[in-house]
Amino acid sequence: MIVEGRNTNGQFSKGNTGGGRLGTGDDKTTKKLSPIEPISNAPKLKLDGDGNGTAAGKTTDEINTNVLTFLKACGTKDADLMTVLINQLSAVLPASIANATRETCINGALAMLSGIKPKNEIEGMLAAQMVTTHILSMETAKRAMLADQTVVGVTENVNRCNKLMRTFTLQVEALSKLRGVSKTVTVKHVTVVSGGQAIIGDVHHRNPNDKN
């Protein structure tokens, strides 16, 4: 897959988006539809007949802007790293997800990657792994729901899905740690009864029968 740029519009349209009307059956009440605005600044690829991805803009400035968007989505300024990361991500995607086209699947994964907003190469690689883990967990969940499976088959897919979802949680925690986000517990009030002591730190109880 070759990444050359993207279309910055990122528009999603279905049917008439130029001011059509939404009917409610026999009810005469109708609602005018507003034109759909761009909903994403995530990088977009356009696949050709050979499966190569290109999304070059119409002008040099647009192409440069598109390439920068791809780089930002990967958390890097290196074009080679960007290309490798996007190719790796597209390679693990199934041919189709819920009858969506291959192009839609790849662009959806890129939107996930962009949404994590990696700030550097480490975060970019971790973000790609998070997207991969999510996709695989949903795939195994789908397989667990297939009809005419043996109990062993269902159990195996459920277990795989569970492991992948747990891994995703660990990845989220790892990303939070990389970004310096941690939980802080603040003690606002401590009550010590008469004759007692407040101890901060680890408390070890010694076995009275232990002579060592």
Side-chain angles (χ1 to χ4, degrees), residues 14 18 50 69 91 97-98 100 102 125 127 142 147 152 156 160 186:
K14 185 175 182 180
D50 296 326
T69 305
I97 300 176
R102 176 71 174 167
M125 289 184 286
K142 182 192 75 174
V152 175
E156 183 66 23
R160 289 178 180 178
T186 303

Side-chain angles (χ1 to χ4, degrees), residues 29-74:
T29 304
T30 59
K31 181 179 179 181
K32 188 173 181 179
L33 298 178
S34 301
I36 296 178
E37 299 296 330
I39 59 175
S40 174
N41 289 323
K44 300 290 181 182
L45 286 176
K46 185 70 176 177
L47 299 185
D48 60 21
D50 296 326
N52 293 321
T54 58
K58 297 180 180 179
T59 65
T60 301
D61 289 341
E62 185 177 342
I63 293 173
N64 291 337
T65 300
N66 296 342
V67 172
L68 289 175
T69 305
F70 272 102
L71 291 168
K72 184 177 180 180
C74 296

